[in-house]
Amino acid sequence: MLPRNTRDENGTREFRREAEFAGTLQGYEIQNGQAIFAKLRQIKSLYELRLLQHAIDISAEAHMRAMSNIGTLGWEYEVQAEIEYVFRRRNADYWGYPSIVGCGPNGTTLHYIESQGRIGRTDLMLIDVGAEYDHYTADITRTFPVNGKFTPAQRDIYTIVYDAQEAAAAKLRPGAMISEASGAAAAVIEERLARLGLITAVGALIPGTQMPQYRIWYMHGWGHWLGMNVHDVGQQVPLAPGMVTTNEPGVYIRSDALDYFDMTKPGMKEFIEKIRPAFERYKNIGVRIEDDMLITESGVSWMSGRIPRKLEDVEAFMAGKASLK
Ligand code: GLY
Ligand code: MN
Ligand code: MN
């Protein structure tokens, strides 16, 4: 998920830092080279794709090792160790970004990297990790029940995210715009949150704001370019074969989410009262599913697709019915 403050009208955060540094020098002018790098890096060669696939395959093994061993582990940092052991054993450079291993409520915090929580047996485990191999990084998230079986409430949220990811994937093909995929994911999430009562209606705004209600529960972007950087450079141009994007919708029912609204705003009290029953039912559930998608001549390929993702496949894997492939 791309934090909202990464870019602004002055370019990337990195560019602003360079420009500030240049301001301390005499006789230099700094220009933003992002467009040049975007062009060079947005479409991968076959060789680049082999490296990226290798990073993804290492990460897939790490994810499945964590899923397989979760029953023997008591702390998030132990899960992180299982994952990073695989990275080291398979000679990855390192991780492409700090590992996110969040159990239960911690899974509702974006970029939670502390790994200090206990593994609750009835919780969901959210793992967002990616190995870097020869400078190319994977970026993959899976969310699964620690005891191997989704509760009805966990199942409701997981199914929304899964269906949103599928809807987005169906839009990915040469010539399409990223906005078609992100829009498809958002539409599924909004419609289904309304059905669960977590928002009052499709199209409804948070009272007194221009912010759609569904953004309370899905507060990050749908995806980003992937390659030498986890949030790689790239431009918003029609998709073409060789481009790689993540597909990472999520729904996060944070336990304090309703605490910060301005209750003096007209309609706010009624809004909160209306969604509170559903909130109480689903709070502390966080689900993200993230895959690495290669645009091909004919459509799209799930580069990280070998890790169980469909709800039934996750449960079967956890039950030992499926083995490491
Ligand atoms: N792991 C960071 C991201 O998903 O964007
Ligand atoms: Mn990502
Ligand atoms: Mn990620």
Side-chain angles (χ1 to χ4, degrees), residues 289-305:
I289 315 174
E290 177 174 23
D291 281 273
D292 303 338
M293 318 294 287
L294 167 64
I295 307 303
T296 63
E297 297 289 342
S298 59
V300 70
S301 160
W302 297 68
M303 297 180 83
S304 45

Side-chain angles (χ1 to χ4, degrees), residues 50 69 93 98 118 157 166 226 228 247-248 256 277 290 294 305 312:
R50 279 190 69 170
N69 292 353
D93 302 338
R118 275 197 180 277
I157 302 294
E166 287 285 311
L226 185 69
M228 299 187 88
N247 176 5
E248 54 175 310
D256 64 352
E290 177 174 23
L294 167 64
E312 294 74 20

Side-chain angles (χ1 to χ4, degrees), residues 180-199:
E180 294 174 44
S182 64
V188 169
I189 289 175
E190 183 171 33
E191 202 260 319
R192 305 283 281 283
L193 289 175
R195 261 199 250 169
L196 293 186
L198 282 160
I199 61 175

Side-chain angles (χ1 to χ4, degrees), residues 1 97-98 100 111 127-130 138-141 224 230-231 246 248 288 290 292:
M1 62 249 122
Y97 53 93
I100 297 169
H111 297 284
I127 299 180
D128 180 350
V129 295
D139 184 9
I140 306 168
T141 307
H224 50 82
V230 61
H231 295 158
T246 64
E248 54 175 310
R288 179 166 61 261
E290 177 174 23
D292 303 338

Side-chain angles (χ1 to χ4, degrees), residues 53-297:
Q53 186 66 62
H54 193 63
I56 290 169
D57 290 345
I58 294 171
S59 310
E61 182 185 329
H63 267 279
M64 290 190 280
R65 183 183 174 94
M67 290 171 81
S68 302
N69 292 353
I70 194 80
T72 66
L73 306 172
W75 295 89
E76 290 165 348
Y77 55 78
E78 293 181 304
V79 180
Q80 183 180 345
E82 296 281 333
I83 288 159
E84 293 176 11
Y85 162 75
V86 174
F87 292 178
R88 189 70 263 132
R89 183 173 54 74
R90 292 193 59 179
N91 203 23
D93 302 338
Y94 204 41
W95 35 250
Y97 53 93
S99 300
I100 297 169
V101 178
C103 195
N106 292 336
T108 68
T109 299
L110 301 187
H111 297 284
Y112 168 80
I113 56 169
E114 288 76 6
S115 293
Q116 293 301 305
R118 275 197 180 277
I119 311 295
R121 292 296 133 194
T122 55
D123 284 339
L124 287 179
M125 185 78 204
L126 186 153
I127 299 180
D128 180 350
V129 295
E132 181 163 313
Y133 187 83
D134 215 349
H135 307 293
Y136 286 80
T137 183
D139 184 9
I140 306 168
T141 307
R142 286 292 181 272
T143 308
F144 59 92
V146 171
N147 66 11
K149 199 101 187 99
F150 288 89
T151 65
Q154 291 168 348
R155 180 175 283 261
D156 285 348
I157 302 294
Y158 191 89
T159 306
I160 294 178
V161 177
Y162 179 90
D163 289 348
Q165 206 197 19
E166 287 285 311
K171 301 287 183 189
L172 295 173
R173 61 184 185 284
M177 298 301 288
I178 282 288
S179 55
E180 294 174 44
S182 64
V188 169
I189 289 175
E190 183 171 33
E191 202 260 319
R192 305 283 281 283
L193 289 175
R195 261 199 250 169
L196 293 186
L198 282 160
I199 61 175
T200 57
V202 169
L205 303 177
I206 299 168
T209 77
Q210 291 305 307
M211 176 87 77
Q213 290 177 10
Y214 79 89
R215 278 303 198 178
I216 302 171
W217 312 119
Y218 173 37
M219 64 301 230
H220 60 70
W222 161 80
H224 50 82
W225 306 115
L226 185 69
M228 299 187 88
N229 228 336
V230 61
H231 295 158
D232 211 18
V233 288
Q235 292 172 320
Q236 297 305 322
V237 292
L239 293 170
M243 291 182 181
V244 180
T245 175
T246 64
N247 176 5
E248 54 175 310
V251 169
Y252 314 87
I253 315 299
R254 299 171 314 288
S255 62
D256 64 352
L258 304 185
D259 296 349
Y260 302 105
F261 290 111
D262 181 352
M263 300 308 282
T264 63
K265 289 231 163 90
M268 189 63 86
K269 200 162 155 280
E270 294 74 12
F271 162 61
I272 302 281
E273 265 169 23
K274 204 152 181 207
I275 66 171
R276 190 172 288 285
F279 166 75
E280 292 297 337
R281 173 166 163 73
Y282 294 108
K283 81 176 171 197
N284 288 323
I285 295 177
V287 174
R288 179 166 61 261
I289 315 174
E290 177 174 23
D291 281 273
D292 303 338
M293 318 294 287
L294 167 64
I295 307 303
T296 63
E297 297 289 342

